[in-house]
Amino acid sequence: MRTAAFYGIVAAGLAICAVLLAGGSPARIALACALGLLPFAAYATVVRPMVFPYALYVLLIPFDNLLNFSGSGTLTKLLGMISGFALLFWCVRIRRIVDPPKALLLLGALLLWMTLSVTWSQDPLASFNGLQPYFGLALLYCALAITPLQVREFRVLMFIVVVSGVVSAAYGAHVFYQNPATANSLLHRLVVQVGNTFIDPNQFADALLFPLAALVIFGLRTQWLTLKFASMAGVILMVSAIALSGSREAIVALGVIIVYYLWRTRYRLQLLALIAIGVVGAMAQPSSMWARFNDALSSGGAGRTSIWSVGWIAFKHNWLKGYGIASFPTAYDRFYLGVYQSYTNGWTSPAHNVILHYAVELGIVGLLLLLGFWFAQFSALRVIGPSHPLYDYRVLLEGALLGLFVTAMFIDLFTYKYAWLIFAMAAQLRSLATAPGPDVLPVRGQVQEAQSLTAA
């Protein structure tokens, strides 16, 4: 009976695909292809959720802002929700979870404080709506942090991260150079735009930092000369794309990552050669970045110092519990006219600094929870010593976390998916390192060896 039902469903699906293909329009062909792939996607979601749909989610993160989906969010948001449920179902199916990291407990406390802040918020409706992104990202992080994974799955995810960065950088360079007015001007910055949606140049560059950091490590550790040259080409491409974006914060963060690599890795000579090539590649681009560095002091970092002065006054007036989540613009407007503006930035401004942002919204209590969560991500990787086969990955994730923190001093990114991708990968690496050894998991009647560190 079940077999007959299965074949009936397949036959109905094939009939629908045939009807759609007969129409001949691109939309119908795309829909037919999607329906044809749906059974395979459903199967992969059940048996390999870390590879699909989560790997697809990772691949699309750099293009998140462009993937609007029916006015209720983006395609990546939908994939993130599906991935979270699929991973939790996988944990139930194999009857096993990873011991949760301390960072997860701090994140839970932070979310609780955010929720409580709605009761004293200056704008309760804005605070209630502002909570939703945090809970969505935190739930996916929780699912990833407690789901067992294998080393080869972790490597696949890292490979997808690199591919997403290379594709994003190549597309960005194409967008920049196909517009002669932009490509020939030192005053323009790379802005990826499709229709009415666009990616902020700083966010575009910041999203490339993790793929770039990963590709550098891959290029340094591989023994194959061909792969080293391929990695070098990818590094040059991503560094060039960051330069075209004109993002000062991304360049500073990249410098911090490289210095950390010089300190913690054994590939110093290779790294110095790669730095020289990267600098030449960046300076060869017609970028506004160097002019923006020259103007940083005179413009107050494009008005950031003026914003921070207003935010500091707002924090001092309510330093303990803050003004409520998502209420920084309201608090900013309240004190805006009372602070001298050396560089006028206007009303209702974002904080452009993660510490000031959450200090104003959540007070000193929320700020300490936030910093504790960030530090716990970093400190959890200390279990991986220099002789551990995963040590290079530890250096990679620690460098990425440091670079992310540097960029967070100049832009609001705690609700961006590329930031939470780094948090999740750090939690997953920690779970690999603390696994008690080879695990035997029953999957479809076969015995599979998971968490094998010898594969590293």
Side-chain angles (χ1 to χ4, degrees):
M1 187 67 179
R2 291 181 179 178
T3 304
F6 173 77
Y7 284 119
I9 293 173
V10 172
L14 291 175
I16 294 173
C17 290
V19 172
L20 291 171
L21 289 172
S25 68
R28 284 175 173 265
I29 294 174
L31 183 57
C33 293
L35 287 174
L37 293 174
L38 185 59
F40 303 99
Y43 177 80
T45 301
V46 173
V47 301
R48 283 291 182 269
M50 201 68 71
V51 176
F52 183 87
Y54 182 62
L56 180 59
Y57 167 84
V58 172
L59 181 66
L60 296 178
I61 281 179
F63 302 98
D64 180 38
N65 287 3
L66 303 180
L67 301 175
N68 289 326
F69 186 78
S70 69
S72 59
T74 62
L75 178 59
T76 48
K77 178 181 178 180
L78 177 62
L79 286 172
M81 294 172 58
I82 297 173
S83 298
F85 286 119
L87 291 167
L88 293 176
F89 177 76
W90 171 254
C91 290
V92 173
R93 185 171 177 234
I94 65 175
R95 298 185 180 89
R96 180 185 168 208
I97 63 171
V98 175
D99 291 335
K102 293 180 180 178
L104 189 57
L105 301 178
L106 289 167
L107 178 60
L110 177 61
L111 290 175
L112 177 60
W113 186 253
M114 286 181 176
T115 304
L116 292 174
S117 73
V118 177
T119 61
W120 63 75
S121 173
Q122 299 291 303
D123 190 347
L125 180 59
S127 293
F128 180 78
N129 292 331
L131 277 175
Q132 299 177 24
Y134 296 102
F135 275 92
L137 292 166
L139 288 174
L140 179 57
Y141 169 83
C142 175
L144 290 164
I146 66 174
T147 301
L149 80 161
Q150 303 175 10
V151 171
R152 62 174 176 267
E153 291 177 326
F154 184 83
R155 287 176 166 174
V156 167
L157 292 177
M158 292 303 307
F159 176 75
I160 296 297
V161 167
V162 171
V163 170
S164 71
V166 172
V167 171
S168 178
Y171 181 71
H174 170 71
V175 168
F176 186 87
Y177 283 109
Q178 77 173 357
N179 185 348
T182 300
N184 295 327
S185 174
L186 294 177
L187 302 178
H188 287 77
R189 305 174 64 185
L190 167 60
V191 178
V192 178
Q193 183 171 359
V194 176
N196 295 325
T197 59
F198 68 95
I199 304 176
D200 178 87
N202 290 318
Q203 298 289 1
F204 174 84
D206 295 343
L208 291 177
L209 288 174
F210 184 33
L212 178 55
L215 187 56
V216 168
I217 288 292
F218 292 165
L220 294 175
R221 61 180 280 148
T222 183
Q223 300 296 320
W224 296 86
L225 192 59
T226 302
L227 292 180
K228 281 188 180 294
F229 281 113
S231 299
M232 186 184 303
V235 168
I236 294 173
L237 177 61
M238 284 192 274
V239 171
S240 299
I242 292 175
L244 293 175
S245 73
S247 177
R248 295 168 295 195
E249 70 203 38
I251 287 294
V252 173
L254 178 59
V256 170
I257 293 172
I258 295 302
V259 169
Y260 188 76
Y261 282 3
L262 285 171
W263 176 37
R264 299 303 299 269
T265 69
R266 59 183 184 276
Y267 311 110
R268 294 180 178 87
L269 291 179
Q270 293 185 59
L271 194 54
L272 289 173
L274 190 60
I275 291 171
I277 296 172
V279 169
V280 172
M283 296 190 68
Q285 303 303 318
S287 170
S288 63
M289 181 176 60
W290 311 116
R292 284 170 51 77
F293 270 112
N294 290 332
D295 296 338
L297 293 178
S298 61
S299 66
R304 284 174 172 79
T305 54
S306 296
I307 298 170
W308 298 340
S309 62
V310 177
W312 172 247
I313 297 300
F315 170 70
K316 290 198 299 183
H317 278 79
N318 195 1
W319 61 271
L320 182 59
K321 61 180 184 179
Y323 297 87
I325 191 65
S327 63
F328 182 90
T330 303
Y332 176 87
D333 288 348
R334 179 177 174 183
F335 294 96
Y336 174 66
L337 293 179
V339 179
Y340 171 73
Q341 303 288 311
S342 58
Y343 186 95
T344 303
N345 193 70
W347 295 88
T348 316
S349 173
H352 287 288
N353 181 282
V354 71
I355 292 179
L356 185 64
H357 181 170
Y358 293 97
V360 170
E361 292 187 352
L362 302 175
I364 193 66
V365 176
L367 176 62
L368 290 176
L369 289 172
L370 173 72
L371 295 178
F373 167 71
W374 213 304
F375 179 75
Q377 297 282 343
F378 193 90
S379 61
L381 299 177
R382 292 178 179 174
V383 297
I384 304 174
S387 60
H388 198 286
L390 296 177
Y391 179 73
D392 286 341
Y393 290 111
R394 170 193 167 177
V395 175
L396 191 168
L397 266 302
E398 287 178 342
L401 286 168
L402 286 174
L404 186 68
F405 193 76
V406 170
T407 60
M409 295 300 100
F410 304 97
I411 199 168
D412 300 323
L413 52 68
F414 199 58
T415 56
Y416 276 79
K417 295 179 180 65
Y418 64 81
W420 286 85
L421 173 62
I422 299 175
F423 296 149
M425 294 296 288
Q428 290 177 306
L429 181 61
R430 172 255 176 200
S431 71
L432 283 177
T434 56
D439 245 345
V440 179
L441 301 178
V443 180
R444 296 187 62 80
Q446 298 180 355
V447 176
Q448 294 188 352
E449 189 179 51
Q451 310 285 10
S452 176
L453 296 182
T454 57

